[in-house]
């Protein structure tokens, strides 16, 4: 199994101790009483949860230190997360019970609605949670973040854990995961024993994600982030040749770009197999999604992926499968791709026939 993980940013030791002690993590999100708008982060955060699989590793980042939590419990084939309460569209669809409730914590302001609390005067809830267990006797071990970033500095390109700014948590590559594990397993590593006296715990069994809780057809996606979350949670919606092998890892919003101060190019879905490229820091498959007609802008974006990968890897970049999935394509789409790029890009059309997809000839 390819070992991947999630990288979670926290802001206080009390919260770190709670999650380490209970083996539970839930991202704070605004309650979604209706359907999320295109401006909401709902589906983008859901997409990170959707990439999680059984035995993925959980790392917490707090004040320049990185702590080990454990390995995720759940499914190997679909999103290994749980639905917590009904403050989200998925929670209402699943009729999910509220089993993890942080609203009674002293550091938050409780509201009249169970599971909803105020942080800095803003309403928050935890509609999704992951559960994890330490199987390697590493829980609470930590390193300074500089140790990780010095090691990652050996790779001349950005990775999810060093481009996480503005995100609560993100999926990380197998290369980053293995680097962290190697550093944490050193005998000189420090360890934090959770000091948690809070009366917060799982109240019953959480509702696991099921594929029926997301869209059944790609045409049902109203916005691109919804499509991305559905495909990562349920990869069977992908074309057969794009579906990850059983031992693969899935990430989302992976930098495929040189370091830039802003507007870094990030691939929607990346897949990592046992045939690792650059120690598992480079994906074997890159998938770009467009929930509408792909034209010049989409072609230019995928051309930048191709150019950057070849600049960094040379001929090794030919091992990478690069795909684009869109509802349709402009007649001039191919004109924006040079012949060398066209040879490596596979174009697919999102439909609800032929296993939801149609593969097109890009040339």
């Amino acid at each position: 199994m390819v070992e991947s993980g999630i990288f979670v940013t926290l802001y206080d030791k009390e919260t770190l101790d709670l999650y380490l002690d209970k083996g539970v993590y839930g991202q704070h999100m605004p309650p979604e009483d209706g359907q999320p708008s295109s401006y909401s982060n709902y589906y983008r955060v859901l997409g990170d949860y959707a990439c999680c699989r059984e035995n993925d590793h959980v790392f917490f980042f707090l004040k320049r230190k990185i702590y080990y939590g454990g390995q995720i419990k759940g499914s190997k084939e679909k999103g290994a997360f749980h639905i917590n309460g009904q403050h989200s569209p998925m929670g209402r669809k699943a009729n999910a019970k509220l089993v993890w409730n942080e609203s009674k914590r002293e550091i938050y302001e409780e509201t009249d609605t169970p599971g909803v609390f105020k942080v800095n005067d803003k309403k928050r809830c935890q509609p999704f949670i992951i559960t994890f267990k330490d199987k390697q006797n590493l829980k609470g071990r930590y390193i300074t973040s500089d140790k990780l970033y010095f090691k990652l500095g050996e790779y001349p390109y950005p990775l999810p854990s060093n481009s996480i700014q503005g995100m609560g948590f993100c999926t990380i590559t197998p290369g980053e995961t293995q680097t962290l594990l190697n550093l944490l397993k050193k005998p000189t590593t420090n360890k934090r024993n959770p000091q948690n006296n809070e009366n917060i715990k799982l109240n019953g069994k959480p509702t696991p994600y099921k594929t029926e809780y997301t869209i059944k057809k790609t045409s049902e996606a109203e916005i691109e982030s919804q499509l991305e979350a559905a495909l990562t949670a349920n990869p069977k919606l992908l074309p057969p040749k794009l579906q990850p092998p059983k031992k693969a890892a899935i990430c989302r919003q992976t930098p495929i770009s040189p370091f830039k101060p802003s507007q870094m190019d990030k691939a929607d879905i990346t897949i990592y197999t046992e045939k690792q490229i650059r120690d598992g820091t480079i994906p074997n498959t890159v998938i770009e999604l467009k929930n509408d007609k792909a034209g010049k802008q989409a072609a230019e974006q995928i051309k930048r992926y191709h150019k950057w990968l070849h600049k960094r890897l040379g001929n090794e970049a030919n091992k990478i499968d690069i795909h684009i999935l869109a509802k349709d394509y402009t007649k001039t789409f191919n004109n924006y791709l040079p012949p060398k790029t066209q040879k490596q890009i596979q174009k697919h059309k999102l439909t609800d026939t032929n296993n939801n997809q149609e593969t097109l000839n890009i040339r």
Side-chain angles (χ1 to χ4, degrees):
M1 185 75 181
V2 179
E3 294 186 329
S4 186
I6 64 169
F7 195 74
V8 180
T9 57
L10 298 177
Y11 300 97
D12 60 82
K13 290 183 177 179
E14 292 77 16
T15 302
L16 171 67
D17 285 347
L18 175 64
Y19 296 156
L20 287 177
D21 183 43
K22 303 301 183 183
V24 176
Y25 166 72
Q27 170 83 353
H28 290 182
M29 299 170 62
E32 293 283 357
D33 296 325
Q35 285 300 116
S37 72
S38 58
Y39 300 101
S40 170
N41 281 326
Y42 173 81
Y43 287 118
R44 286 185 279 274
V45 176
L46 177 58
D48 285 321
Y49 281 103
C51 291
C52 295
R53 297 294 186 271
E54 183 183 52
N55 290 328
D56 281 356
H57 299 269
V58 180
F59 304 96
F60 294 107
F61 179 41
L62 171 66
K63 296 179 180 178
R64 298 189 66 176
K65 292 184 175 67
I66 300 172
Y67 299 81
Y68 185 77
Q71 289 179 270
I72 293 175
K73 298 188 288 185
S75 173
K76 294 180 180 179
E77 288 79 32
K78 59 181 185 292
F81 65 95
H82 298 85
I83 307 160
N84 184 46
Q86 299 185 31
H87 301 302
S88 69
M90 188 179 291
R92 292 186 287 275
K93 189 171 185 177
N95 194 27
K97 293 182 179 179
L98 181 69
V99 295
W100 179 259
N101 185 359
E102 291 188 20
S103 65
K104 298 185 183 298
R105 297 188 67 197
E106 292 182 1
I107 60 175
Y108 305 138
E109 181 183 346
E110 192 173 2
T111 69
D112 294 333
T113 306
V116 177
F117 47 93
K118 289 186 177 181
V119 182
N120 297 326
D121 209 35
K122 295 180 180 178
K123 285 187 177 182
R124 293 292 182 263
C125 64
Q126 294 164 292
F128 311 111
I129 58 174
I130 57 169
T131 58
F132 52 91
K133 182 178 181 179
D134 178 27
K135 300 179 182 179
Q136 303 195 22
N137 196 29
L138 295 176
K139 185 174 75 171
R141 284 202 182 192
Y142 65 91
I143 57 170
T144 61
S145 57
D146 285 346
K147 289 185 177 180
L148 171 66
Y149 295 131
F150 282 146
K151 291 293 292 183
L152 297 185
E154 298 173 6
Y155 302 102
Y157 39 84
L159 292 160
S161 64
N162 58 20
S163 57
I164 191 176
Q165 187 175 5
M167 300 171 64
F169 81 105
C170 68
T171 54
I172 59 175
T173 68
E176 293 165 284
T177 301
Q178 193 57 57
T179 297
L180 275 167
L181 290 174
N182 291 341
L183 291 169
L184 288 162
K185 287 177 180 178
K186 291 186 176 181
T188 55
T189 304
N190 294 314
K191 185 174 183 178
R192 178 177 181 83
N193 294 313
Q195 304 295 316
N196 174 49
N197 298 315
E198 299 185 67
N199 188 27
I200 307 293
K201 60 182 181 180
L202 279 175
N203 183 23
K205 289 186 177 182
T207 302
Y209 162 75
K210 296 180 180 178
T211 57
E212 63 197 63
Y213 300 150
T214 44
I215 58 174
K216 296 181 177 63
K217 298 178 181 179
T218 55
S219 61
E220 295 175 2
E222 297 181 0
I223 54 179
E224 189 174 301
S225 56
Q226 182 183 15
L227 177 64
E228 182 182 316
L231 293 176
T232 49
N234 179 19
K236 290 184 178 180
L237 289 175
L238 286 165
K241 65 185 302 182
L242 269 68
Q243 293 177 18
K246 289 183 178 180
K247 295 183 179 181
I250 303 176
C251 292
R252 65 174 289 275
Q253 294 303 309
T254 306
I256 306 290
S257 166
F259 286 101
K260 295 192 289 185
S262 63
Q263 296 182 326
M264 193 177 293
D265 290 314
K266 295 184 177 182
D268 292 320
I269 300 174
T270 51
I271 298 171
Y272 301 78
T273 71
E274 292 181 301
K275 297 179 180 179
Q276 293 191 345
I277 301 175
R278 299 294 168 97
D279 307 315
T281 61
I282 296 291
N284 302 84
T285 300
V286 174
I287 303 172
E288 185 64 23
L289 303 175
K290 297 299 173 189
N291 201 42
D292 51 15
K293 183 178 286 189
K296 180 179 179 181
Q297 185 177 0
E300 293 286 349
Q301 185 174 1
I302 206 136
K303 183 170 71 174
R304 289 195 299 271
Y305 292 161
H306 182 269
K307 180 179 179 180
W308 178 85
L309 289 167
H310 278 267
K311 186 174 180 63
R312 288 269 60 92
L313 279 69
N315 289 334
E316 193 177 10
N318 291 319
K319 299 178 182 178
I320 302 169
D321 294 321
I322 305 176
H323 304 267
I324 180 167
L325 280 73
K327 283 190 173 179
D328 206 350
Y329 296 83
T330 62
K331 293 180 180 179
T332 58
F333 178 87
N334 292 2
N335 298 342
Y336 301 109
L337 299 175
K340 183 180 177 180
T341 305
Q342 289 189 18
K343 290 180 181 179
Q344 194 168 356
I345 309 300
Q346 294 188 47
K347 187 171 66 172
H348 309 264
K349 186 175 179 180
L350 292 165
T351 67
D352 286 328
T353 59
N354 193 21
N355 203 15
N356 293 329
Q357 319 294 333
E358 180 184 350
T359 301
L360 306 176
N361 189 345
I362 202 166
R363 292 179 291 280

